[in-house]
Amino acid sequence: MTTSSGTDETPTSTPAPGRPEPAVDFIRAKVIDDNASGRFGGRVQTRFPPEPNGFLHIGHAKAIGTNFGIAEEFGGTCKLRFDDTNPETEEQSYVDAIQDDIAWLGYEPDEVVYASDYFEQLYAWAEELIGKGLAYVDDQDADTISAQRGGFGQPGVESPYRDRPVEESLDLFRRMRAGEFAEGQRVLRARIDMQSENMQLRDPILYRIRRAHHVRTGDTWTIYPTYDWAHGQSDAVEGVTHSLCTLEFSDHRALYDWCLDHLDLPGDQPEQTEYARLSLTHTVLSKRKLRQLVEEGLVDGWDDPRMPTLRGLRRRGYPPAAIRAFVDRIGLARTNSVHDIELLESFVRTELNRCAPRRMAVLRPLKLIITNWPEPSSDEHEVLVEAVNNPEDATASTRQVPFTGELWIEQDDFKLDPPPKYYRLTLGREVRLRAGFYITATDVVTDDAGNVVEVHATYDPESAGGSTPDGRKVRSTIHWVSAAHAVDGTVHLYDRLFTDPHPGADGSDPIACFNPRSRETLTGAKLEPALATVTPGQVVQFERLGYFASDLDDRRVFHRTVGLRDEWANIQKRAAKQGKQRGR
Ligand code: ATP
Ligand code: MG
């Protein structure tokens, strides 16, 4: 598997956020051509067809952005169609969650429909096929049928039931519907070509018996259409023009067309076009694998902030606008590739940089005492300093942050034995406290093990607001929270869900490289008072630490959405350097 981050036009590099849009992709080009030639009478109708058997992931966001996006751009319509043809695995809760996730992403279906709305019509069309001698009831079991299908370069074996008389098939099919047979006892198959090079055309199964309760049709049906029988015909009933799906369905296109070609259909025949699935490094985008993570208890649930599900990303603080921008930028390609997760994160960072308020929080607190700070009896004992809410947003103004002589700073921001190039606080050194004063460390208190438990410092009263009359420079600025005003919080830091950039690509079980250190929880964080009033799900920047989302259920819990460092820029720099070296 290769890592590439481009569209058809630019196979090796994806423009960074903020760069110009790539040229029109091959699907949009096709829509433009179709409109120009008057095909479909200039109509554009798409659909997003999830199976309600799990939660949507970011791969689905690509399908949603593509289908809803194209409809919108060309003045067309896009329906949400639940592909509810497998009663055993489908649930109403998934139906609800999928609608909720689509709305969260910012799209509104023109209509919500279900493949099950068409069960009666699909059944009638199946009888029509049987009548034309193009479908037959097969009494063999699934394993036998599968073995007879053969493989590439291997001949298929015709079923002994293939030439059964039309009336017999029709009678058996009606009795299948009436519930006379057990599950697996009979299926309806299309009668196409057992020697076709395309395995999908070797008499595919159109109906199977399932004695399961269906979320919408209840116990009305005991036979259910397969994906291949339901999909194209549902498209046709609805008047879909461009039926867009992922590349694994390429082989199904001939069958899609075969079914439509052999029925008397109203209106134009829809056309299936396939595009590359979205894959991302360090994660998996398959409902089955994601379910395994949930069921094995490796994550807290489908909405765990480490999950690539839309629920997970939402809880993690990903803005929907960033996901939409990412989907737009990666574009639609004809070959599969894997995108760096850092690219997605850079879109998240760009969006949050624009809109997230800045706040101060100390994750691993160390006490700092300012020894020359005014006494408690003084009016000056507690002051308010003015901090900028968002330097990227002129309308975000400032806020007042309480400052006292007893503060929390990060353990990392003080070192007794500073390594080279460490410019933060150490004994005898002066640094700036963000929006506050200059301080110089003078002394420490250590515990029995020699760990620093308290730092003593003096401050320069002339340095209020972060500069001094003599223009003295310091090499670093650190953040802080007043101890008396701090709000306690819990913070989750996240690392990659899988240690391997391509989990399972070599055929191994991806779960084997699940990252056991993908979450680190810090329970003793100290937050500035303004953080007591965040709204659930709000994302703020903790200065110098990254972007953090308040939990949807507990506002004192924060999830790190992304760090501040632009790792995507580094990846691009490295790639450019390697390119140059190769060019030498
Ligand atoms: P999974 O493999 O995760 O179970 P799926 O394809 O079975 O996904 P569906 O509910 O059938 O899930 O998908 C609905 C639509 O979303 C389909 O058109 C499918 O092609 C598309 N889709 C699913 N995964 C991706 C992906 N990774 N990238 C782009 N489109 C996707
Ligand atoms: Mg599917």
Side-chain angles (χ1 to χ4, degrees):
M1 199 178 288
T2 56
T3 299
S4 127
S5 307
T7 63
D8 260 0
E9 289 72 29
T10 52
T12 51
S13 77
T14 306
R19 292 269 209 83
E21 294 292 325
V24 74
D25 59 71
F26 76 103
I27 294 184
R28 286 176 170 85
K30 187 175 205 359
V31 174
I32 291 168
D33 279 354
D34 289 342
N35 282 349
S37 71
R39 190 175 175 196
F40 304 118
R43 256 177 0 97
V44 176
Q45 186 174 331
T46 57
R47 81 287 168 268
F48 172 62
E51 190 179 348
N53 63 353
F55 292 92
L56 299 181
H57 51 62
I58 185 147
H60 293 111
K62 176 172 178 178
I64 293 168
T66 300
N67 283 295
F68 285 94
I70 288 178
E72 201 174 294
E73 283 159 49
F74 291 93
T77 54
C78 178
K79 292 184 188 183
L80 164 62
R81 184 205 308 146
F82 287 102
D83 178 21
D84 55 348
T85 53
N86 289 306
E88 300 95 337
T89 51
E90 297 163 0
E91 286 174 25
Q92 184 61 38
S93 60
Y94 295 134
V95 169
D96 297 338
I98 287 170
Q99 297 197 56
D100 189 50
D101 285 347
I102 293 172
W104 174 75
L105 265 186
Y107 295 101
E108 194 185 339
D110 285 286
E111 199 183 340
V112 180
V113 290
Y114 299 80
S116 57
D117 294 343
Y118 318 129
F119 279 176
E120 199 59 58
Q121 174 67 74
L122 292 170
Y123 175 84
W125 276 332
E127 284 207 356
E128 186 181 325
L129 270 197
I130 298 171
K132 290 177 176 169
L134 294 171
Y136 60 96
V137 171
D138 195 329
D139 300 357
Q140 302 178 108
D141 61 39
D143 289 344
T144 310
I145 291 173
S146 169
Q148 287 172 349
R149 184 165 281 169
F152 193 70
Q154 282 178 311
V157 175
E158 295 190 353
S159 162
Y161 300 97
R162 196 169 197 266
D163 295 322
R164 119 188 295 170
V166 166
E167 290 67 35
E168 196 179 307
S169 275
L170 211 47
D171 173 59
L172 286 169
F173 188 49
R174 287 176 181 159
R175 288 165 59 196
M176 276 169 67
R177 175 180 183 165
E180 284 189 29
F181 308 118
E183 261 190 36
Q185 210 180 334
R186 285 188 169 79
V187 292
L188 182 73
R189 295 176 72 180
R191 193 172 185 282
I192 309 180
D193 178 4
M194 284 308 289
Q195 307 313 328
S196 174
E197 302 223 318
N198 181 341
M199 296 308 127
Q200 302 301 330
L201 296 181
R202 292 192 178 181
D203 291 11
I205 295 174
L206 305 182
Y207 271 92
R208 61 266 199 275
I209 299 169
R210 288 277 184 279
R211 295 189 170 275
H213 189 81
H214 186 283
V215 175
R216 297 188 75 245
T217 58
D219 299 316
T220 309
W221 293 88
T222 50
I223 55 173
Y224 289 91
T226 53
Y227 168 88
D228 288 306
W229 184 244
H231 207 83
Q233 280 67 260
S234 300
D235 284 345
V237 175
E238 289 167 14
V240 166
T241 56
H242 299 84
S243 181
L244 312 176
C245 61
T246 37
L247 285 169
E248 70 273 22
F249 292 103
S250 301
D251 282 355
H252 294 245
R253 192 187 337 124
L255 177 54
Y256 180 100
D257 289 338
W258 184 92
C259 294
L260 294 173
D261 288 345
H262 290 91
L263 293 172
D264 257 343
L265 291 171
D268 299 313
Q269 197 161 308
E271 184 183 13
Q272 173 179 310
T273 306
E274 311 87 21
Y275 60 89
R277 262 181 104 78
L278 171 67
S279 301
L280 283 174
T281 54
H282 294 285
T283 195
V284 293
L285 296 182
S286 136
K287 274 182 261 178
R288 196 169 52 82
K289 282 292 157 198
L290 294 173
R291 171 171 287 112
Q292 202 180 332
L293 290 173
V294 174
E295 285 174 357
E296 292 184 15
L298 294 168
V299 294
D300 290 344
W302 287 92
D303 62 350
D304 186 297
R306 290 167 289 181
M307 292 281 270
T309 50
L310 297 183
R311 311 240 119 183
L313 298 177
R314 187 199 308 203
R315 193 171 275 269
R316 178 87 172 249
Y318 275 38
I323 297 177
R324 289 199 307 267
F326 167 74
V327 164
D328 269 1
R329 194 53 53 87
I330 58 173
L332 296 170
R334 284 193 188 87
T335 47
N336 281 324
S337 65
V338 183
H339 291 273
D340 293 311
I341 198 160
E342 289 84 355
L343 175 64
L344 170 61
E345 290 175 340
S346 78
F347 277 92
V348 171
R349 197 176 292 112
T350 301
E351 178 66 17
L352 292 176
N353 181 44
R354 204 177 56 71
C355 64
R358 276 51 170 172
R359 297 289 182 259
M360 290 195 281
V362 174
L363 303 191
R364 297 176 181 87
L366 171 63
K367 186 64 76 64
L368 177 92
I369 308 279
I370 302 178
T371 50
N372 61 338
W373 189 255
E375 292 296 316
S377 56
S378 156
D379 282 351
E380 315 278 80
H381 179 67
E382 183 182 318
V383 298
L384 291 170
V385 300
E386 190 172 22
V388 173
N389 280 330
N390 186 350
E392 304 292 325
D393 178 359
T395 64
S397 77
T398 60
R399 70 188 184 285
Q400 307 280 312
V401 188
F403 188 104
T404 59
E406 206 170 307
L407 307 172
W408 295 111
I409 62 168
E410 278 317 323
Q411 289 168 18
D412 256 7
D413 283 339
F414 177 85
K415 284 214 188 319
L416 216 39
D417 295 310
K421 296 195 178 165
Y422 183 87
Y423 300 120
R424 291 171 270 165
L425 200 57
T426 183
L427 287 180
R429 183 178 294 161
E430 188 169 51
V431 301
R432 180 189 292 109
L433 292 174
R434 168 77 89 214
F437 297 87
Y438 280 24
I439 54 158
T440 306
T442 53
D443 204 357
V444 292
V445 176
T446 53
D447 63 12
D448 293 343
N451 301 310
V452 175
V453 292
E454 202 169 283
V455 177
H456 292 177
T458 56
Y459 86 112
D460 177 355
E462 301 274 280
S463 64
S467 62
T468 56
D470 63 6
R472 211 159 72 236
K473 295 267 184 289
V474 287
R475 293 194 77 161
S476 79
T477 301
I478 65 176
H479 61 272
W480 51 273
V481 172
S482 164
H485 301 87
V487 176
D488 291 324
T490 291
V491 172
H492 297 293
L493 304 178
Y494 298 107
D495 197 351
R496 303 294 175 222
L497 188 54
F498 293 91
T499 52
D500 188 327
H502 303 287
D506 57 0
S508 62
D509 183 4
I511 306 295
C513 64
F514 171 80
N515 181 4
R517 281 189 282 277
S518 49
R519 177 170 64 192
E520 182 184 2
T521 299
L522 304 170
T523 53
K526 302 292 182 185
L527 317 174
E528 74 162 84
L531 286 168
T533 56
V534 288
T535 52
Q538 191 185 350
V539 186
V540 296
Q541 184 191 98
F542 287 176
E543 299 235 19
R544 301 174 63 228
L545 299 173
Y547 295 96
F548 291 77
S550 81
D551 187 70
L552 294 168
D553 302 319
D554 183 348
R555 289 186 296 150
R556 291 294 158 81
V557 172
F558 286 84
H559 305 282
R560 178 147 72 184
T561 314
V562 277
L564 294 176
R565 196 162 8 126
D566 187 355
E567 291 166 35
W568 172 245
N570 292 338
I571 288 178
Q572 282 187 308
K573 268 185 221 143
R574 272 201 304 277
K577 210 162 147 196
Q578 276 166 6
K580 242 189 230 154
Q581 278 167 355
R582 242 180 273 127
R584 268 192 210 133

